[in-house]
Amino acid sequence: MNIYMSGQGAFAVQVAEALQGEGHKIVGAAAPRLRKGHSDEGRPMSWDRLRSWAFPRDIPWTDSAELRALHVPDGVDVIVAAHSHAFLGRRTRARAAVATIGYHPSLLPLHRGRDAVRWTIRDGDKVTGGSVYHLTERTDAGPIAAQEHLFVPPGSTPQSLWRDHLAPLGVRLLVKVVADLAADRRIEVPQDEALATWEPAMGAPPLFKPELPALPGTVRVDGHRSALHDH
């Protein structure tokens, strides 16, 4: 299948390489211009890892802050969001003939939001997991395509839980779902909104949604629009 990657960092590269290893073709990538914490001095070493991975392979790259439908080439079967903080709007998702999927490091609908792993540790959860879901207009709220739980090892930090457990799980689940889609097996289990939790990002700006311009009298709160009321 032809895959368009939207993501960043080592996790996005691991997913891209795993998908290639299964015979899929990466036909484009959207990633931040620079690695987190680096200044823009034009040095390849400061590029995001997915961008650096795509460059020598002649895979077209787009700054994720600018990603729109026009950047997704013709013939894309699946768009895969792997640690992506770029909002994929309806027109962008429509460029994928089969599906647009993403990985979230929690047992959705629990811990929606971009800092799910940190909240898992902060809340003292004993069980967590990963979910691959179909992207929709609502952040982290689309139907589930695959999900698996794991126990949180004692003494875990957000970094160790992600690196040693949730990231490898995410690679495996994304590869599984793409294989399912390639075999015309499409799984969509609606999330139970009665169980949903949403936690704000810790020290990060709200998710930018370029295809959803804010309405007068509203503000965005980490990916959601909230009405402003006069008091």
Side-chain angles (χ1 to χ4, degrees):
M1 301 187 84
N2 290 333
I3 308 293
Y4 188 89
M5 294 290 306
S6 176
Q8 61 183 309
F11 179 64
V13 172
Q14 291 164 6
V15 172
E17 291 182 338
L19 290 170
Q20 279 191 330
E22 294 296 314
H24 305 293
K25 183 179 181 181
I26 309 300
V27 297
R33 184 170 296 276
L34 300 173
R35 293 177 66 177
K36 186 176 180 180
H38 286 251
S39 61
D40 189 357
E41 298 176 1
R43 298 173 300 169
M45 287 297 292
S46 68
W47 289 2
D48 173 80
R49 292 184 183 181
L50 180 59
R51 181 186 180 190
S52 295
W53 179 86
F55 179 76
R57 294 167 175 81
D58 294 322
I59 295 172
W61 165 83
T62 297
D63 188 336
S64 56
E66 302 171 359
L67 179 61
R68 305 290 190 279
L70 61 89
H71 297 115
V72 180
D74 293 337
V76 167
D77 296 306
V78 179
I79 299 174
V80 174
H83 200 180
S84 173
H85 294 322
F87 176 73
L88 304 179
R90 181 180 290 114
R91 290 185 294 273
T92 303
R93 298 194 307 272
R95 296 290 290 164
V98 178
T100 298
I101 60 173
Y103 175 66
H104 191 73
S106 80
L107 293 173
L108 290 173
L110 302 179
H111 294 309
R112 292 174 180 171
R114 67 170 57 187
D115 274 330
V117 183
R118 292 186 185 182
W119 283 100
T120 294
I121 296 298
R122 177 169 172 169
D123 288 355
D125 294 352
K126 302 300 182 183
V127 178
T128 186
S131 307
V132 174
Y133 65 104
H134 295 267
L135 273 64
T136 65
E137 295 295 280
R138 297 182 59 219
T139 305
D140 301 335
I144 303 296
Q147 190 173 74
E148 190 171 316
H149 80 277
L150 58 86
F151 294 102
V152 178
S156 291
T157 65
Q159 294 76 19
S160 68
L161 183 59
W162 168 255
R163 181 187 62 244
D164 299 336
H165 302 281
L166 291 173
L169 175 60
V171 174
R172 179 162 56 82
L173 288 181
L174 283 168
V175 169
K176 175 188 181 301
V177 172
V178 171
D180 284 343
L181 293 169
D184 201 26
R185 293 190 297 268
R186 187 182 184 94
I187 299 171
E188 296 186 68
V189 179
Q191 295 188 37
D192 187 344
E193 292 299 320
L195 301 176
T197 64
W198 172 275
E199 287 87 17
M202 296 182 181
L207 182 64
F208 177 52
K209 293 190 172 185
E211 292 187 10
L212 288 180
L215 298 174
T218 65
V219 294
R220 288 196 180 90
V221 182
D222 204 65
H224 290 284
R225 288 185 298 178
S226 300
L228 290 175
H229 301 283
D230 294 328
H231 296 282

